[in-house]
Amino acid sequence: MLIVPEKLIADLVSAEDAFAAVEATFAAMARGEATNFPVVREALGEGRQYGFKSGLDRAGGMLGVKAGGYFPGNMARGMTNHQSTVYLFDPESGRPTAMVGGNLLTALRTAAASALSIDRLARPDAKVLGMVGAGHQAAFQLRAAARVRRFERVIGWNYHPDMLPKLGEVAAELGLPFEAVALERMVEADVIVTITSSPAASLLSAHVGPGTHLACMGTDTKGKQEVEPALLARARLFTDEVAQSVSIGEAQHAIAAGLVREADITPIGAVIAGLAPGRLGQEEITLFDGTGVGLQDLAVAGAAVRRAVERGLAASVEV
Ligand code: NAD
């Protein structure tokens, strides 16, 4: 079994690598070549969440699981709140093949998913990026979004406003002016990325103008919610995995309210694979419900292992 530790990941997998890996994975899912298994996610108390995301990619020869979760006390101890490790197995024999540090990979694959949705669904002339959220993941989402559209400025809102200047620094690194705004001003944005751990809707339908693309990335568990269900009823809906979107994603609330049906949600892989249309017009609101799937984790972990082997950096152990 090969071990690729967390500290090597930054030199092994770039944002571009993650984008390509996630794009290929979503397309394989749509073609029926790759399957995500049901997510296990359990509350451990005091805000801690632990679980497993797993799947099988027959075409890519990948079987595996990401184990980990959210541990809100970590930040105070100098660690990121998200902790995860990816385990890969030989799909033919079930033997473990690799153990890969999953923290940075999670950030990269999540940013890649929202960037992919922007690439495929946002208006080509999008100029204003709206960020709702300013935590650990927000910086990754902002950098990845800036790779796929020529934004001219960024506006940001966060429940904890003191966190926004740090996101402003990321925008400045990218050469983009940044302004902290009230939620009402999100109506100026052509693309909005939501990436919070909010338990109730912050962004309302009235805060979103026609023609906007939204990448809603924070809701990945039952009970989380970032946007008003009425907004989903107004939008054409896309997701990474429909089963997760309706159960643990942003759509869980609009489904429960009877405002949208499961059949209204298109897997983005179908758009990538040419099996479903993307944006249909300049005025349409498109919304990507990014719940985070196990196959994304396997894809980026596989890329890390291949690169580590090429460079002779993977340690080998007998299990
Ligand atoms: P973080 O702890 O660094 O940041 C949390 C963010 O949520 C901050 O912006 C904070 O101000 C905001 N927030 C906290 N309480 C809030 C409230 N009551 N109302 C509104 N906003 C509130 O976390 P992170 O690493 O940036 O992750 C953000 C979210 O994204 C988490 O919910 C995480 O589980 C989720 N996530 C999803 C995926 C995916 O694949 N979809 C992947 C990684 C993380």
Side-chain angles (χ1 to χ4, degrees):
M1 177 187 207
L2 300 173
I3 297 183
V4 183
E6 183 68 45
K7 64 177 185 211
L8 291 186
I9 300 297
D11 289 332
L12 294 175
V13 181
S14 65
E16 288 81 0
D17 296 329
F19 187 94
V22 171
E23 187 173 45
T25 296
F26 285 165
M29 283 162 53
R31 288 192 295 263
E33 296 165 0
T35 311
N36 290 293
F37 302 147
V39 174
V40 174
R41 197 151 167 104
E42 296 291 332
L44 302 184
E46 292 149 11
R48 290 168 300 155
Q49 299 268 343
Y50 181 66
F52 308 99
K53 286 189 170 176
S54 59
L56 168 66
D57 180 348
R58 284 173 215 88
M62 305 271 288
L63 172 68
V65 58
K66 180 171 84 171
Y70 187 68
F71 299 82
N74 283 4
M75 202 71 110
R77 288 182 274 151
M79 293 181 275
T80 59
N81 290 346
H82 286 274
Q83 288 295 326
S84 60
T85 310
V86 183
Y87 300 86
L88 300 177
F89 301 85
D90 175 359
E92 297 307 318
S93 67
R95 292 280 302 156
T97 55
M99 179 171 123
V100 186
N103 294 351
L104 178 58
L105 287 179
T106 298
L108 290 171
R109 64 77 147 143
T110 306
S114 63
L116 195 50
S117 82
I118 296 166
D119 189 41
R120 298 289 173 151
L121 299 171
R123 294 194 329 268
D125 64 349
K127 298 275 185 286
V128 182
L129 173 63
M131 294 294 304
V132 175
H136 174 72
Q137 194 59 46
F140 289 89
Q141 308 299 132
L142 171 51
R143 286 198 184 95
R147 287 184 51 244
V148 294
R149 283 294 180 277
R150 292 202 174 142
F151 292 112
E152 291 177 353
R153 61 190 177 99
V154 181
I155 54 178
W157 177 88
N158 195 44
Y159 184 73
H160 303 104
D162 52 307
M163 294 167 81
L164 282 167
K166 233 172 148 205
L167 193 63
E169 286 170 23
V170 177
E173 262 173 44
L174 298 165
L176 292 168
F178 179 86
E179 189 185 358
V181 297
L183 274 169
E184 287 72 17
R185 283 203 40 208
M186 280 293 150
V187 77
E188 296 169 24
D190 303 306
V191 171
I192 300 174
V193 176
T194 64
I195 183 72
T196 69
S197 51
S198 174
S202 309
L203 190 73
L204 305 182
S205 185
H207 301 151
V208 177
T212 304
H213 171 67
L214 295 109
C216 297
M217 305 303 296
T219 298
D220 56 359
T221 307
K222 262 193 178 55
K224 285 191 195 169
Q225 184 178 17
E226 298 194 285
V227 309
E228 186 181 29
L231 179 56
L232 278 83
R234 236 177 111 199
R236 255 189 65 243
L237 301 177
F238 298 85
T239 188
D240 40 23
E241 174 69 82
V242 174
Q244 290 189 195
S245 170
V246 301
S247 57
I248 58 172
E250 196 59 44
Q252 63 182 287
H253 308 288
I255 292 268
L259 293 174
V260 304
R261 295 162 307 146
E262 188 168 328
D264 297 329
I265 309 173
T266 303
I268 194 152
V271 179
I272 298 166
L275 303 170
R279 164 173 294 277
L280 294 177
Q282 287 288 99
E283 296 291 296
E284 184 175 63
I285 296 175
T286 50
L287 187 151
F288 174 68
D289 185 4
T291 63
V293 297
L295 286 169
Q296 274 172 275
D297 297 305
L298 306 194
V300 287
V305 172
R306 279 192 297 280
R307 208 48 69 73
V309 169
E310 276 165 24
R311 297 190 193 162
L313 294 173
S316 180
V317 293
E318 274 303 316
V319 179

